[in-house]
Amino acid sequence: SLRWLLDVLTGLGVLHRTLSFVHGEVQPEHIVLGDDGVGRLIPVVRAHWVRGEERAPERLYYLAPEKLLGDKVDIRSDVFSVGVMLWEALAGQRLLEAYEVDDIIARLMGGGIPRPLAPEAEAWTEPLSGIAERAIAVDPARRFASVAEMKAAIESSCSRYLASAPGMAELFENPARRARNHVRDSLPPD
């Protein structure tokens, strides 16, 4: 999960720096894994160009409070979305289960978000709980100022535990490709 989140943060950083584009809709379904093991963010989604479209309730869980309220969004809105995914990866559960914007806003504004607990067997993840907490702060001014800052915090807290892109490619290799490689590898040399 961390490798993919770092890949997403890298992609968002490029969008922010080069296009001054705020994704605003970052969520797990917008991340695809390439054959090279790199997680890639689908940069533009239907909601970016269709105004007033009704969103499925589960898509609301990753939107920053300012986006839900229709206020101005900036790059810290994307920090919030990735922070929700980090929180969920640490806690092993959904952050929000409300189905209405008003319920989600009330939960976020009411301070009812617990600190994600790191699994006891994975004590190295404890610093990530603080990173997730900061990323999902209701007040954008309390979040990381950029995705690059959040990425640096994650990398500095657990760099030696991060999977590599080639490792991810191997772990999630396409079964058909794996079968072809197995057949190829079992053939006698020319």
Side-chain angles (χ1 to χ4, degrees):
S1 296
L2 283 177
R3 172 82 272 144
W4 289 342
L5 288 178
L6 290 173
D7 294 343
V8 166
L9 290 167
T10 298
L12 284 168
V14 171
L15 286 174
H16 295 164
R17 280 188 320 274
T18 61
L19 301 176
S20 298
F21 180 79
V22 175
H23 192 285
E25 300 274 338
V26 180
Q27 48 199 273
E29 69 184 28
H30 298 148
I31 302 169
V32 295
L33 180 65
D35 285 342
D36 58 358
V38 175
R40 290 180 174 82
L41 179 65
I42 299 170
V44 180
V45 295
R46 183 172 169 78
H48 285 127
W49 70 84
V50 178
R51 297 288 174 225
E53 179 179 308
E54 198 65 30
R55 289 183 175 90
E58 63 276 3
R59 295 189 62 205
L60 299 174
Y61 301 152
Y62 302 94
L63 302 182
E66 58 273 17
K67 175 105 173 157
L68 290 169
L69 292 169
D71 294 340
K72 184 177 185 249
V73 297
D74 63 23
I75 60 178
R76 295 169 300 179
S77 300
D78 289 339
V79 167
F80 180 92
S81 297
V82 177
V84 171
M85 289 189 284
L86 177 58
W87 190 100
E88 291 179 346
L90 290 168
Q93 67 183 40
R94 275 244 158 110
L95 174 64
L96 300 165
E97 288 292 343
Y99 294 101
E100 301 292 329
V101 171
D102 292 342
D103 295 336
I104 292 170
I105 295 295
R107 175 113 189 263
L108 291 170
M109 301 296 235
I113 305 298
R115 181 180 176 97
L117 297 176
E120 287 182 31
E122 305 294 337
W124 64 269
T125 63
E126 179 54 37
L128 296 171
S129 295
I131 293 169
E133 242 181 347
R134 181 173 172 194
I136 63 172
V138 173
D139 179 1
R142 293 189 56 227
R143 295 181 202 146
F144 292 96
S146 69
V147 293
E149 185 181 346
M150 182 179 179
K151 181 181 177 194
I154 292 171
E155 288 175 329
S156 71
S157 71
C158 60
S159 62
R160 69 179 210 222
Y161 296 100
L162 292 172
S164 66
M168 296 299 289
E170 185 178 321
L171 182 63
F172 291 98
E173 186 175 24
N174 179 317
R177 189 170 120 200
R178 190 177 317 127
R180 284 192 309 271
N181 289 345
H182 176 70
V183 169
R184 184 196 68 224
D185 294 342
S186 63
L187 294 174
D190 292 334

